[in-house]
Every structure is written in C-alpha cells, then in structure tokens.
Amino acid sequence: MDTGPRHRETTTEHEGEGTASWSTGSMNRRAFLARTGAAAALAGLAGCGSPDEASDGSSGETPTRTPSEPTPTPAELTESAPVTRHGITFETVLHAVGDLGMDRTGQEPIDDALDRAYGDSTLVVFPPGAYLATKPHVWKKDVSGFGMLGLGETKNDVEFVFPKGNEGAPDPANYWFLRAENGRDHLLENVTIQQTDDMVTGVGMVFWQEDGLQIQDVEVAGFNPAYNHDPGFCIIAAVTSQPGVGVIDGFTCTDGGVVDLYPKRKIPIASYRNHRGELRILNPHIANAGEHSMYVSRTRGCVRVENGLFVNNDNSNLRLSGGGHPEKRSWAKDCRILIDTDNAENLPSGERYEGARGIWVESGSEYEYGYNDLLLENIQVEALSNARPAVLLLHEHSHGSLTVRNCSFRSEVENATVVDSRFPYTDWVQSPYALTMEDVSVSTTATRTVSGYAVRITSRPESVIRNVDIELVTGAVDGMLIDKSDGTRILGTQITTSPTGQSSGATGETQAAGENSGIVLNATDEYSIQNAEFQVPDENILVGPESSEG
C-alpha cells in the first residue's frame, strides 16, 4: 500500500526500542518512565481544571489550564501506583512501541494492536512518531477509563496518519478513526490527526460518554475535504448522562475546508440531541472551516465555550443555544471572532465563501427544541470583509431569551445588519423571549444595511438595553429598531454618527443621505427610555404607529 508523504518527519530516537519484555498487565512504571522519557512529558502536560460557576449558574470566573492535581513524579509511579490524568485514573500503562509493538514510522498499521489494548483503566502512551491507521475503531463496550496520550513536547510530535483517500477502509468516504460510543472516562491527549492537504483524506471521531470525557490538546491538521471524501465532522461529542461532564480543551483546526457548497462541507466540533450533560469547550482555535466552527445548538444538555479564537469560518463562527439542561446555563465567554474573508488563508483555487455569520443563536426547526437563556459574555466580533452582508449576531426565530454582556460588535461590511434579534415562534419557543444587552458596543461603517438598522429587535417583549453604545456613519442606517416589543427598557444608551467612512463592498462614491435616526419604535407599548444620548442628523427618537410610552 502506498501511503505517500502522510506525516511530518521526526528524528527523535527511542532508546531500547523493541527490546522491552514488560507485562501488559502490571508493569514497573518507574523503569518505563526512565526508559522513554515519559516523566518529562507527563510533567510538561498539566491537567485541566474546571471553570468556577457562580451560585446563580450564570457567571463566574473562567480559569483555564489550571492543574486539577499535580502530575506524579517517577518516584511516585511504582508498580502498584496508578497514573492519573485530568481526574482519570489508569491502573495499566502500555507503551505503544515497547508493549504493543506498534510501528511509529507510519509504514505498518497499528489497528489490531490498538483494538487489543482497548479496555478498562488502560492508558496507551505514544512516543514521538507517525502511527498509521487504516480501519475504523468502533468501540461499543461499556469501558471505564481508556486513554491515548502522546509523549511529545507538543501535540504535533505524535501524529496519526492515514492512507491517501483512506484507501483500504470499508467506507473511505465515511471514515471514523475512533468511535467510542459507550463507557466513561476516555482520554485523548497531545496528538495530531493528520489529514494532509490532498483534499481526499478526511477523518472523523465520535465520543459518546456517560461522564468524564477529556480531549486535551488535539489538532486535526490538513485540509477538511468535501462530503464525498469525509464523514463531515472532526469530532462529534456527547455526555449522555445529565450529571456528567466532558471537556474539549485546546482543540485546533485551522488548515482549511471551504470547498464545494453548503451542506457538503465539514464541521470541526458538533454535539447533538444525545448530549444531556455538560460539555466544556475550552481554548479552541478554529479557522477557515467550510461549515461552522462548531454546531452545538440542538443538544438537550449544556454547552460552555470559553477562551476561543474563531477566524473566517463560513456559515457561522459560533452556532449555539441555551440548551436543554434543567440546571445548568449554556454560554460562550471570553472569545474573539474575526471575519475577513477577502484575506482568508487556505482557500483553494476556484472555491469561495458563501457568507460568514459571527454568532448564530438558534435551537432547531419548527416543533423541535425552542430553547432560551443563552449567555454571551466578553466576546469581540469584528467583520472587515465578507462574501455577503451576513449578520454579526443573529438571534433566530427558534430561540427564546438571550443575554449579551460586555461584548463588542464591529462591522466594516456594507449592507450588513450588526445585531438582528428576530421574532420568536411563540407556539413552540420557550418563554421568556427578551433580548438583554448590557455594556455592549456596536459600530458599523455601512451607509446602508439590509434591515435599515444597526440593531433590530422584533417581538421580544421586556427586552433590556442598558449601557449600549452604537456608532454609525452618515448615511441611511438608524441606530436601533424596537418593533412589537412591549415593555422594552432602554437605559443609559448612546448613539452617535460620524462622517462617512468606507465599508467593505461599497462601490464608487457613496452618497450619504444623512438620514440616521437614533431609536425607532414601532407598535411597541409601555417602553421606557432613560439617560440616552444622541448625536444623529435626523430624529433622536422616532415613534411609529401604535406605540406609547409607559
């Protein structure tokens, strides 16, 4: 089988390789660590702590990469002492080369050895190298505590590689490298899934765990192919018990995937209806994906995204919802989103972006979910250019209440509405329906938008707009529309207009009409506006029909 140039070269030597005769059931871990240099690798890979949650479940500090417990030293790792990683204890440690006989040159398959090793309380450690996988590993047994740990200084030192086009797999176009569909306490850490840039080798993984899922410092490298060469996802994750918690920390996927058209592209992270617990997605870096960075909006559990960097992911850079967990609030915090598709990286010749939203808040099609109470906090969204005038924050018909706190939204794209809170489908979306914006800045250089406004709020009663600054340029864009949203309160908001700028997508000489209004109210009763400041050329507050101040 011709595997081709499937991996980065590595020159790290493994002393004593192939001469070990350790028992796979009970090995002297002190001797093992001394021989492989694993002590240094283990010491350098700190555990991941848990985000602290405030008593109301809605806020709290967000510590990341803080060790939950100290990493054992070689002296502590005796024959009877287990190894603990991220709260998961492994009674047996197997060396991929010395114990299992795996080839780390990327030439001979590791499949049979990996399947034999799969079992309770077992950690397989991989020294630097390339490990060839040629068939899917579907694990449905109720296994508790199985892990795969790379011993390199970085996640790129240990790569899992694949034949070009997944040649030899039962279904090359639907290749799942790992499918752990049962059990608990599974670990994948400090490794790279190497697809290369050939655009025909696509790999996916599935982790459905009752509790204790830990995916730590994993990269999916190489171009994400279209559907005819790929299963469509890098990772599908679910915590299947309501009290359970799973963590994806330090996931990286940046090498491209804009190919063909939606929905024929690949999603880096997804979670769907069988997710019932809490999934924490910490420190992700996802860029240039063809179809969302993550699709986690239709789960029955809780999803918390923190400290993420998302760049030029088509369709949406974040797609999420309040979720269906009865006790835990879903959120995204401390993230940065950048949209600049004119300068996107890893875009194949002849391919194009369809339009990248910033954040898409939705929770299903008609009669499905209709969740509410999502929190967005400390998020910066910036659009410098886009394939079409996509919304930076889209609050969809299928979602109830949303809180946006300490966020900024800046658009330099002509015709793009910055924040669009659309009317909810009240027959099946859970109430309340309000949009709450607190300490938020909105700015646009557009002289016109599709909606006519920078911020549009429709049929969201009892909405609260507090300390929101909206910056416009001279043109025909009004600051904010409050439409059919009775009981809306606007507190301490400032709307200003500056001279005309130049938006991405604007052509020729822009004729700014200078008709900006501050706030437009339509069919809205019992509204309240307090301590608002305006610097606009037209009406500060334009009250339409059927509106009355309370």
Side-chain angles (χ1 to χ4, degrees):
M1 180 187 304
D2 179 15
T3 62
R6 306 301 304 158
H7 59 88
R8 302 180 180 95
E9 294 185 0
T10 179
T11 57
T12 306
E13 294 297 326
H14 173 59
E15 296 180 2
E17 181 175 294
T19 62
S21 58
W22 302 312
S23 165
T24 60
S26 175
M27 85 175 49
N28 186 318
R29 294 179 178 83
R30 183 180 301 172
F32 162 65
L33 290 172
R35 293 188 60 157
T36 63
L42 287 169
L45 294 169
C48 173
S50 301
D52 293 333
E53 183 179 349
S55 59
D56 65 355
S58 65
S59 189
E61 298 202 2
T62 308
T64 55
R65 298 188 185 279
T66 54
S68 56
E69 57 188 61
T71 302
T73 64
E76 295 170 322
L77 293 172
T78 64
E79 192 167 300
S80 60
V83 173
T84 299
R85 303 289 302 157
H86 309 288
I88 305 172
T89 298
F90 303 98
E91 297 292 341
T92 300
V93 178
L94 300 178
H95 190 279
V97 178
D99 281 315
L100 300 176
M102 292 185 185
D103 171 38
R104 66 185 190 124
T105 68
Q107 299 303 309
E108 297 297 326
I110 65 166
D111 302 295
D112 292 343
L114 183 58
D115 283 339
R116 286 196 306 269
Y118 185 70
D120 291 320
S121 197
T122 300
L123 177 66
V124 180
V125 294
F126 294 81
Y131 297 85
L132 175 65
T134 63
K135 68 179 185 180
H137 298 270
V138 181
W139 298 325
K140 298 186 177 183
K141 294 190 297 183
D142 187 15
V143 166
S144 179
F146 177 77
M148 299 167 63
L149 169 65
L151 297 180
E153 292 184 4
T154 74
K155 58 181 171 288
N156 302 124
D157 293 334
V158 174
E159 292 190 332
F160 293 100
V161 300
F162 312 91
K164 184 175 182 178
N166 300 315
E167 179 186 354
D171 186 356
N174 192 36
Y175 178 70
W176 300 97
F177 170 42
L178 303 176
R179 286 188 68 102
E181 298 182 4
N182 201 354
R184 66 202 59 79
D185 294 337
H186 280 44
L187 169 71
L188 181 66
E189 181 174 4
N190 202 38
V191 299
T192 292
I193 309 302
Q194 181 56 257
Q195 301 175 129
T196 77
D197 293 330
D198 61 25
M199 298 181 67
V200 297
T201 305
V203 178
M205 297 180 287
V206 172
F207 298 94
W208 295 336
Q209 297 283 285
E210 180 182 336
D211 192 11
L213 171 64
Q214 185 78 39
I215 300 173
Q216 181 77 39
D217 295 317
V218 170
E219 179 174 1
V220 175
F223 193 87
N224 291 309
Y227 75 108
N228 53 332
H229 297 292
D230 192 280
F233 305 89
C234 295
I235 294 175
I236 301 178
V239 179
T240 57
S241 71
Q242 199 171 88
V245 177
V247 177
I248 301 175
D249 187 1
F251 174 79
T252 301
C253 181
T254 61
D255 290 345
V258 177
V259 59
D260 210 312
L261 299 173
Y262 174 89
K264 300 177 180 180
R265 300 172 175 179
K266 189 171 187 176
I267 300 172
I269 297 177
S271 187
Y272 293 106
R273 192 164 174 77
N274 65 333
H275 171 59
R276 294 174 177 266
E278 177 183 347
L279 180 62
R280 301 171 184 168
I281 304 175
L282 312 177
N283 307 294
H285 180 194
I286 303 175
N288 312 306
E291 190 175 333
H292 318 296
S293 69
M294 57 183 70
Y295 190 155
V296 294
S297 58
R298 302 186 182 186
T299 78
R300 287 186 283 181
C302 164
V303 178
R304 293 174 171 177
V305 182
E306 301 177 2
N307 293 309
L309 175 60
F310 307 98
V311 181
N312 288 333
N313 299 294
D314 211 5
N315 298 135
S316 67
N317 281 270
L318 271 178
R319 182 173 181 173
L320 68 172
S321 76
H325 200 287
E327 300 172 356
K328 295 182 177 180
R329 187 180 199 181
S330 292
W331 63 50
K333 295 185 178 183
D334 305 313
C335 297
R336 186 184 178 214
I337 296 171
L338 175 62
I339 301 167
D340 187 10
T341 59
D342 288 353
N343 296 295
E345 298 178 350
N346 303 320
L347 182 64
S349 176
E351 302 292 348
R352 63 180 177 86
Y353 278 79
E354 296 181 294
R357 300 176 185 90
I359 302 172
W360 188 6
V361 179
E362 66 89 32
S363 61
S365 57
E366 191 170 3
Y367 307 118
E368 282 191 287
Y369 313 109
Y371 298 137
N372 61 16
D373 200 32
L374 176 68
L375 171 64
L376 304 176
E377 186 171 70
N378 298 326
I379 298 177
Q380 177 185 345
V381 183
E382 186 174 18
L384 304 181
S385 65
N386 208 338
R388 66 177 178 86
V391 179
L392 269 63
L393 171 58
L394 177 58
H395 184 192
E396 191 62 270
H397 306 287
S398 60
H399 199 277
S401 60
L402 168 66
T403 297
V404 184
R405 181 186 300 153
N406 296 323
C407 295
S408 66
F409 301 90
R410 174 174 173 76
S411 175
E412 297 185 7
V413 179
E414 188 72 6
N415 296 316
T417 301
V418 183
V419 177
D420 194 358
S421 183
R422 298 178 176 175
F423 67 88
Y425 294 137
T426 55
D427 288 344
W428 54 279
V429 174
Q430 299 172 19
S431 64
Y433 308 121
L435 170 66
T436 299
M437 297 176 68
E438 299 176 339
D439 301 308
V440 172
S441 67
V442 174
S443 68
T444 176
T445 62
T447 58
R448 284 173 174 76
T449 68
V450 172
S451 68
Y453 306 91
V455 177
R456 179 170 62 176
I457 303 171
T458 306
S459 298
R460 298 285 177 175
E462 307 300 326
S463 290
V464 177
I465 310 300
R466 180 183 287 113
N467 298 329
V468 173
D469 291 342
I470 300 177
E471 296 182 8
L472 311 169
V473 298
T474 303
V477 179
D478 295 327
M480 183 185 305
L481 170 67
I482 310 296
D483 184 29
K484 304 180 184 69
S485 299
D486 293 344
T488 293
R489 291 178 293 153
I490 300 173
L491 309 168
T493 291
Q494 178 174 291
I495 301 176
T496 61
T497 302
S498 62
T500 306
Q502 180 67 46
S503 299
S504 169
T507 58
E509 215 38 57
T510 301
Q511 299 297 323
E515 297 174 353
N516 311 74
S517 292
I519 297 172
V520 178
L521 292 120
N522 182 61
T524 296
D525 289 331
E526 306 300 325
Y527 65 86
S528 173
I529 301 176
Q530 300 176 18
N531 300 321
E533 298 181 8
F534 303 92
Q535 183 185 338
V536 294
D538 206 348
E539 296 282 345
N540 289 343
I541 303 172
L542 182 60
V543 180
E546 302 177 34
S547 297
S548 62
E549 184 172 4

